[in-house]
mmCIF file of all heavy atoms in Angstrom:
data_model
loop_
_atom_site.group_PDB
_atom_site.id
_atom_site.type_symbol
_atom_site.label_atom_id
_atom_site.label_comp_id
_atom_site.label_asym_id
_atom_site.label_seq_id
_atom_site.Cartn_x
_atom_site.Cartn_y
_atom_site.Cartn_z
ATOM 1 N N GLY I 143 -17.382 16.980 21.541
ATOM 2 C CA GLY I 143 -18.332 17.355 20.410
ATOM 3 C C GLY I 143 -17.642 17.999 19.201
ATOM 4 O O GLY I 143 -18.163 18.302 18.105
ATOM 5 N N GLU I 144 -16.235 18.416 19.387
ATOM 6 C CA GLU I 144 -15.512 18.991 18.405
ATOM 7 C C GLU I 144 -15.149 17.997 17.288
ATOM 8 O O GLU I 144 -14.786 16.805 17.404
ATOM 9 C CB GLU I 144 -14.216 19.477 18.927
ATOM 10 C CG GLU I 144 -13.225 20.224 17.956
ATOM 11 C CD GLU I 144 -11.905 20.663 18.567
ATOM 12 O OE1 GLU I 144 -11.058 19.850 18.743
ATOM 13 O OE2 GLU I 144 -11.949 21.855 18.930
ATOM 14 N N SER I 145 -15.244 18.414 16.053
ATOM 15 C CA SER I 145 -14.763 17.581 14.896
ATOM 16 C C SER I 145 -13.292 17.515 14.779
ATOM 17 O O SER I 145 -12.668 18.597 14.968
ATOM 18 C CB SER I 145 -15.305 18.021 13.585
ATOM 19 O OG SER I 145 -14.904 17.347 12.412
ATOM 20 N N VAL I 146 -12.808 16.303 14.606
ATOM 21 C CA VAL I 146 -11.306 16.241 14.434
ATOM 22 C C VAL I 146 -10.980 15.406 13.339
ATOM 23 O O VAL I 146 -11.683 14.291 12.994
ATOM 24 C CB VAL I 146 -10.808 15.554 15.768
ATOM 25 C CG1 VAL I 146 -11.352 14.245 16.182
ATOM 26 C CG2 VAL I 146 -9.247 15.573 15.618
ATOM 27 N N ASP I 147 -9.925 15.532 12.594
ATOM 28 C CA ASP I 147 -9.410 14.811 11.456
ATOM 29 C C ASP I 147 -8.642 13.637 12.035
ATOM 30 O O ASP I 147 -7.551 13.748 12.444
ATOM 31 C CB ASP I 147 -8.588 15.599 10.591
ATOM 32 C CG ASP I 147 -8.007 14.880 9.440
ATOM 33 O OD1 ASP I 147 -8.392 13.598 9.279
ATOM 34 O OD2 ASP I 147 -7.326 15.396 8.524
ATOM 35 N N LEU I 148 -9.228 12.507 12.101
ATOM 36 C CA LEU I 148 -8.635 11.243 12.812
ATOM 37 C C LEU I 148 -7.440 10.946 12.006
ATOM 38 O O LEU I 148 -6.588 10.229 12.525
ATOM 39 C CB LEU I 148 -9.676 10.216 12.973
ATOM 40 C CG LEU I 148 -9.288 9.025 13.893
ATOM 41 C CD1 LEU I 148 -9.057 9.420 15.218
ATOM 42 C CD2 LEU I 148 -10.198 7.782 13.714
ATOM 43 N N LYS I 149 -7.447 11.035 10.721
ATOM 44 C CA LYS I 149 -6.326 10.636 9.922
ATOM 45 C C LYS I 149 -5.169 11.479 10.211
ATOM 46 O O LYS I 149 -3.991 10.994 10.567
ATOM 47 C CB LYS I 149 -6.588 10.753 8.515
ATOM 48 C CG LYS I 149 -5.371 10.424 7.544
ATOM 49 C CD LYS I 149 -5.648 10.642 5.989
ATOM 50 C CE LYS I 149 -4.347 10.424 5.226
ATOM 51 N NZ LYS I 149 -4.507 10.601 3.785
ATOM 52 N N ALA I 150 -5.255 12.790 10.356
ATOM 53 C CA ALA I 150 -4.063 13.633 10.585
ATOM 54 C C ALA I 150 -3.611 13.488 12.037
ATOM 55 O O ALA I 150 -2.528 13.573 12.383
ATOM 56 C CB ALA I 150 -4.501 15.115 10.345
ATOM 57 N N ALA I 151 -4.542 13.360 12.981
ATOM 58 C CA ALA I 151 -4.185 13.279 14.371
ATOM 59 C C ALA I 151 -3.878 11.914 14.977
ATOM 60 O O ALA I 151 -3.195 11.823 16.135
ATOM 61 C CB ALA I 151 -5.467 13.738 15.218
ATOM 62 N N PHE I 152 -4.178 10.875 14.141
ATOM 63 C CA PHE I 152 -3.919 9.487 14.668
ATOM 64 C C PHE I 152 -3.459 8.500 13.703
ATOM 65 O O PHE I 152 -2.407 7.867 13.748
ATOM 66 C CB PHE I 152 -5.282 8.941 15.317
ATOM 67 C CG PHE I 152 -5.181 7.593 15.971
ATOM 68 C CD1 PHE I 152 -4.385 7.403 17.118
ATOM 69 C CD2 PHE I 152 -5.861 6.603 15.492
ATOM 70 C CE1 PHE I 152 -4.341 6.331 17.713
ATOM 71 C CE2 PHE I 152 -5.798 5.309 16.188
ATOM 72 C CZ PHE I 152 -4.946 5.151 17.243
ATOM 73 N N ALA I 153 -4.233 8.312 12.493
ATOM 74 C CA ALA I 153 -3.887 7.245 11.611
ATOM 75 C C ALA I 153 -2.665 7.523 10.819
ATOM 76 O O ALA I 153 -1.912 6.604 10.459
ATOM 77 C CB ALA I 153 -5.065 7.015 10.617
ATOM 78 N N TYR I 154 -2.213 8.756 10.560
ATOM 79 C CA TYR I 154 -0.982 9.134 9.927
ATOM 80 C C TYR I 154 0.097 9.048 10.879
ATOM 81 O O TYR I 154 1.160 8.335 10.550
ATOM 82 C CB TYR I 154 -1.124 10.434 9.161
ATOM 83 C CG TYR I 154 0.261 10.843 8.577
ATOM 84 C CD1 TYR I 154 0.702 10.422 7.447
ATOM 85 C CD2 TYR I 154 1.065 11.686 9.242
ATOM 86 C CE1 TYR I 154 1.879 10.788 6.818
ATOM 87 C CE2 TYR I 154 2.299 12.102 8.735
ATOM 88 C CZ TYR I 154 2.703 11.520 7.575
ATOM 89 O OH TYR I 154 3.923 11.919 6.952
ATOM 90 N N PRO I 155 0.215 9.721 11.952
ATOM 91 C CA PRO I 155 1.422 9.855 12.750
ATOM 92 C C PRO I 155 1.788 8.513 13.337
ATOM 93 O O PRO I 155 3.006 8.298 13.570
ATOM 94 C CB PRO I 155 1.176 11.060 13.843
ATOM 95 C CG PRO I 155 -0.407 11.025 13.870
ATOM 96 C CD PRO I 155 -0.850 10.727 12.521
#
Side-chain angles (χ1 to χ4, degrees):
E144 179 184 83
S145 175
V146 57
D147 179 1
L148 192 66
K149 179 182 174 182
F152 184 65
Y154 173 81

